[in-house]
Amino acid sequence: MADLILSAERHSELAELLDDEQRLQAEYPKVAEYLDMAVRLSGTGDVRADHAFDLRFIHYMTGGDDVSEDPYWEIVGPSVSGNEGRRLVNGGKPEGSPRLAFAQIILQAVYAYAVPSPETVQWISRFCDGGPVVELGAGRGYWAKQLARAGVIVNAYDSEPPDRAQNASFRRSAGQADVWHPVEDLEGFTARVSERPTDTVLFLCWPPGWGASMASSALASFEALGGERLVFVGQSKGGQTGDDAFFDRLAANWTLESVDRDHVSWWNSVDVAQAWVRA
């Protein structure tokens, strides 16, 4: 991806914003938080690349839909490099950097835990083959937004829609969208799947791990409704996503059909994108 080039007008807008610390804190507290901490943290060692990342971060985090409908990828895409056959957001360094790790925390809270690269979005679209998607645990609906932009019919659900409930993982913050795509509570899930159970795709993106049963419960419900197609983005069994019962159910009842080899992960939390069908 080419270096970001700002128009003279946009350059002036950002300069004015950054010169007014009180306004920056009030209107874009996440950007202010990052800039305050970034100067204290070491970067990748490539000063030019680190400055370019900071510029993208500021521009897309404060620009809204006027500058991009996919700000997450615009920010992290140029920081992706290959390492042992994987595409990683690491700033060109296998070990990443403390500054990038701090940016990661903010970006995951503002957008999504996993990175929806354009290649992965298209891979999911091909797997769906015109069928609808239901996403459970959708958070802010950022993945749902990108899938919808790609022409996929998608309904997003979460037990705590961030625009209507207190969601510990996706808290409200000035200057950032509560949701990127309509996110409904769980009541509509059963009815939606029941309309087209065999060609509806269940999408689970970073379902909670550490013993939480959300992933296995969602898969069991989907199976009971006649669902036959699943996309999972997360870590392997024993990682931060999904419970053991979820992976055991996959192994017993499902067949792995496809793996996205172009999927992009953060360097320090490598995940996978997999498409499954009922055995």
Side-chain angles (χ1 to χ4, degrees):
M1 299 176 72
D3 288 345
L4 175 63
I5 299 176
L6 300 179
S7 67
E9 180 181 6
R10 181 60 175 156
H11 187 278
S12 296
E13 290 175 353
L14 289 180
E16 182 178 342
L17 176 63
L18 296 177
D19 283 343
D20 189 338
E21 293 185 13
Q22 186 173 3
R23 178 189 163 203
L24 179 64
Q25 180 63 52
E27 296 183 7
Y28 302 102
K30 290 297 184 182
V31 176
E33 181 183 3
Y34 172 74
L35 293 177
D36 180 63
M37 183 62 70
V39 296
R40 312 177 196 180
L41 299 173
S42 58
T44 63
D46 184 332
V47 175
R48 181 178 177 277
D50 289 342
H51 285 172
F53 178 89
D54 290 348
L55 179 60
R56 296 193 304 273
F57 185 98
I58 297 166
H59 173 59
Y60 291 108
M61 286 276 287
T62 63
D65 287 342
D66 290 339
V67 299
S68 177
E69 290 188 291
D70 190 5
Y72 196 3
W73 182 249
E74 298 280 10
I75 294 169
V76 305
S79 296
V80 172
S81 67
N83 185 40
E84 297 182 352
R86 302 298 301 265
R87 297 175 71 207
L88 303 176
V89 181
N90 60 11
K93 301 294 182 181
E95 68 278 8
S97 74
R99 184 184 298 182
L100 192 58
F102 186 69
Q104 174 189 2
I105 293 171
I106 294 177
L107 293 172
Q108 287 181 321
V110 170
Y111 302 119
Y113 281 100
V115 178
S117 72
E119 294 86 353
T120 297
V121 170
Q122 289 301 320
W123 170 80
I124 294 175
S125 178
R126 290 192 298 272
F127 176 71
C128 292
D129 193 27
V133 167
V134 290
E135 182 182 6
L136 280 184
R140 296 196 191 278
Y142 193 86
W143 276 78
K145 164 76 176 285
Q146 303 314 316
L147 289 170
R149 289 181 63 223
V152 177
I153 301 169
V154 55
N155 290 89
Y157 302 91
D158 199 283
S159 60
E160 298 175 331
D163 59 338
R164 287 175 283 150
Q166 294 294 325
N167 189 310
S169 298
F170 300 102
R171 300 181 186 276
R172 296 181 183 179
S173 178
Q176 310 304 327
D178 292 336
V179 294
W180 293 87
H181 182 88
V183 178
E184 306 173 44
D185 59 29
L186 301 182
E187 292 184 3
F189 167 74
T190 298
R192 183 64 62 186
V193 174
S194 297
E195 292 175 2
R196 298 170 60 178
T198 59
D199 67 348
T200 293
V201 176
L202 174 63
F203 180 36
L204 297 177
C205 183
W206 270 68
W210 313 118
S213 63
M214 177 270 187
S216 59
S217 296
L219 189 57
S221 297
F222 188 61
E223 290 177 355
L225 292 168
E228 298 181 354
R229 298 170 69 77
L230 165 74
V231 169
F232 169 69
V233 175
Q235 296 183 343
S236 302
K237 186 176 182 179
Q240 296 174 279
T241 63
D243 54 321
D244 287 351
F246 166 74
F247 292 102
D248 292 343
R249 184 176 286 273
L250 274 183
N253 302 335
W254 294 75
T255 299
L256 181 63
E257 180 171 289
S258 177
V259 175
D260 178 23
R261 303 299 179 186
D262 293 322
H263 179 62
V264 171
S265 303
W266 289 94
W267 86 97
N268 56 0
S269 57
V270 175
D271 51 15
V272 297
Q274 301 173 334
W276 295 78
V277 296
R278 285 289 291 273

